[in-house]
Amino acid sequence: VPAPAPRAYHHRNLRSALLKAADHVIRERGIDALTLRGVGDHVGVSRSALYRHFKDKNALLAAVATEGFRAFRQALETALAAAPQDADPLPAMAAAYVQFALSNPSHYRVMFGPFDEKLASYPDLCAEAERAFGVLLNAVREQQERGVFRPGDPLELAHVVWSLVHGIAGLAMNGQLRLGPGAAEPLTRLAAQVLGEGLRAR
Amino acid sequence: VPAPAPRAYHHRNLRSALLKAADHVIRERGIDALTLRGVGDHVGVSRSALYRHFKDKNALLAAVATEGFRAFRQALETALAAAPQDADPLPAMAAAYVQFALSNPSHYRVMFGPFDEKLASYPDLCAEAERAFGVLLNAVREQQERGVFRPGDPLELAHVVWSLVHGIAGLAMNGQLRLGPGAAEPLTRLAAQVLGEGLRAR
DNA sequence: ACCTGAACACCGTTCAAGT
DNA sequence: ACCTGAACACCGTTCAAGT
């Protein structure tokens, strides 16, 4: 709760200022500390001003999650681009995936949190999540076309890959791995190696 | 919120009555609907009576999670026992794992929710979670001793297995798989098959 | 059109007081 | 020892009122 701010310097883009403030609070103090009052204070605006720009708190969270998926996709694309052209890019993407989750745990929770069926009511969020998953899906498809991965529905295989890294991220984030805090990286490496073997065409 | 109940029929075991009520509310109405007032009403007791038996709401949730891990372990043990002696038990255990999560989504969320480091402050919860994971760990170890799975640290391999099923459960629970609601079972089967290939000794 | 301020209906938690 | 009831400090959300 910082000082009240000069009041009324926000004219055109309160929405993006609120979104940015919410993003900051979530990153800095966690999802439980995200309060509409706090976000308002942070921008220097009343707590109910937010309702002019978002339907409710859930809509604000959905917007945060949408931005999260955008950054997430970029991280995956960067890892994919950095991998050698003729190598299996999955280990690098898996590492980037888990690293994103561990670097942005609160965002990751909002992105994959209990949005349940509500996800369908936020088309932007839905589309951005789909794009992020598409990076993984395309990588799997390409490895299939090269004859490296086994044939079969690429969507299903990509779901398997996704589940594995999502699971590692979840367990590591909650400290549920009975290993030191630095255990996620070698585990991710092993997991990618095991999965690569399992997916290999034979 | 049922009728106020006859009041004061609870003498010896208010703690277990509260726990049972919390379990019921979570299962029936979800984790967000779990309210200390609601639990108290359900048992016919004041909302602050709970503090005689639990330190706070988190302690109540920890107790629910502990019971959840007990049932979870039993489900895994049952699947293991039902599998043919000479076959890889992992597909059956994976199916049981995901099925438990999908049948008890709110419990699963409490069990693997954002307990973070707080998990360490609930030794019973910690121990029960360890026992559940132990079932998986033992199965992996046994497959290694039979020469079916590759050699290496069984703990690490078990973590890979756990991550995969945990990830499937998480994505399926949140409806994040772009497939119909019945997609979890075939996906789990495929995942177990792929993982079995990857873990096979060669 | 956009924001404020008070109000409402909820929370978890505490604590003096009862039995 | 165990529970109650009122109180406290928080929430998200609504809405008449201001500009």
Side-chain angles (χ1 to χ4, degrees):
Chain A
V1 191
R7 189 62 67 102
Y9 89 99
H10 44 80
H11 305 75
R12 207 42 74 238
N13 45 8
L14 217 186
R15 194 198 132 99
S16 79
L18 288 166
L19 187 51
K20 201 171 165 185
D23 191 273
H24 179 264
V25 171
I26 286 178
R27 164 160 288 110
E28 225 61 40
R29 317 232 312 265
I31 178 65
D32 287 337
L34 183 76
T35 216
L36 298 193
R37 285 159 164 83
V39 171
D41 285 356
H42 209 275
V43 179
V45 96
S46 147
R47 50 184 168 279
S48 44
L50 184 139
Y51 287 87
R52 288 294 135 192
H53 302 275
F54 298 94
K55 195 203 159 218
D56 52 19
K57 190 181 182 181
N58 255 312
L60 176 64
L61 285 176
V64 170
T66 305
E67 287 306 306
F69 270 115
R70 193 194 310 277
F72 189 41
R73 172 179 54 78
Q74 286 168 354
L76 294 177
E77 283 170 346
T78 300
L80 177 61
Q85 282 288 2
D86 54 346
D88 178 5
L90 252 61
M93 294 180 70
Y97 189 110
V98 174
Q99 199 192 353
F100 180 91
L102 294 185
S103 302
N104 311 277
S106 296
H107 284 78
Y108 194 84
R109 277 199 192 94
V110 174
M111 290 157 60
F112 292 96
F115 266 90
D116 299 301
E117 309 85 20
K118 285 177 283 183
L119 212 153
S121 31
Y122 300 102
D124 289 357
L125 172 57
C126 213
E128 204 62 56
E130 197 92 38
R131 290 182 68 188
F133 175 65
V135 181
L136 212 65
L137 179 58
N138 281 335
V140 167
R141 198 149 24 206
E142 196 164 333
Q143 292 300 98
Q144 280 185 306
E145 285 164 1
R146 287 184 183 177
V148 178
F149 284 177
R150 61 163 75 181
D153 184 2
L155 189 62
E156 267 202 310
L157 294 187
H159 276 147
V160 173
V161 176
W162 192 16
S163 295
L164 182 54
V165 287
H166 179 61
I168 293 173
L171 293 178
M173 272 176 35
N174 289 347
Q176 230 131 4
L177 298 175
R178 297 276 163 280
L179 301 168
E185 202 193 316
L187 176 62
T188 306
R189 223 192 320 270
L190 173 64
Q193 202 263 319
V194 169
L195 194 64
E197 290 287 348
L199 289 175
R200 187 147 287 129
R202 49 198 97 233
Chain B
V1 192
R7 190 61 66 102
Y9 89 100
H10 43 80
H11 303 77
R12 208 43 71 235
N13 46 9
L14 215 188
R15 193 197 133 97
S16 80
L18 289 167
L19 187 52
K20 201 171 166 185
D23 191 274
H24 180 264
V25 170
I26 286 179
R27 163 160 288 113
E28 224 62 41
R29 318 232 313 266
I31 178 65
D32 287 337
L34 184 75
T35 216
L36 297 192
R37 284 157 163 83
V39 171
D41 285 356
H42 210 276
V43 178
V45 97
S46 149
R47 49 184 167 281
S48 43
L50 185 140
Y51 287 86
R52 290 293 133 192
H53 301 274
F54 298 95
K55 191 204 159 217
D56 53 19
K57 191 182 183 181
N58 255 312
L60 176 65
L61 286 176
V64 171
T66 304
E67 285 306 305
F69 271 114
R70 193 194 310 278
F72 189 39
R73 173 178 54 78
Q74 285 168 355
L76 294 178
E77 283 171 346
T78 300
L80 177 62
Q85 282 288 4
D86 54 346
D88 178 6
L90 252 61
M93 292 179 72
Y97 188 111
V98 174
Q99 198 192 354
F100 179 92
L102 294 183
S103 302
N104 310 276
S106 296
H107 284 77
Y108 193 84
R109 277 198 193 94
V110 174
M111 289 158 59
F112 291 95
F115 267 90
D116 301 300
E117 307 84 20
K118 285 177 284 184
L119 212 153
S121 32
Y122 300 102
D124 289 357
L125 171 56
C126 214
E128 203 63 55
E130 197 93 37
R131 289 182 68 186
F133 175 66
V135 180
L136 214 63
L137 178 58
N138 280 336
V140 167
R141 199 153 17 210
E142 195 164 337
Q143 291 300 99
Q144 280 185 308
E145 285 165 2
R146 286 182 184 178
V148 178
F149 284 178
R150 63 163 73 181
D153 183 2
L155 190 62
E156 267 201 311
L157 293 186
H159 277 147
V160 173
V161 176
W162 192 17
S163 294
L164 183 55
V165 288
H166 180 61
I168 294 174
L171 293 177
M173 272 175 34
N174 288 348
Q176 230 131 1
L177 298 174
R178 297 275 163 281
L179 302 168
E185 200 193 317
L187 175 61
T188 305
R189 223 191 321 268
L190 174 63
Q193 203 263 318
V194 169
L195 195 64
E197 290 287 348
L199 290 176
R200 188 145 289 128
R202 50 197 94 234

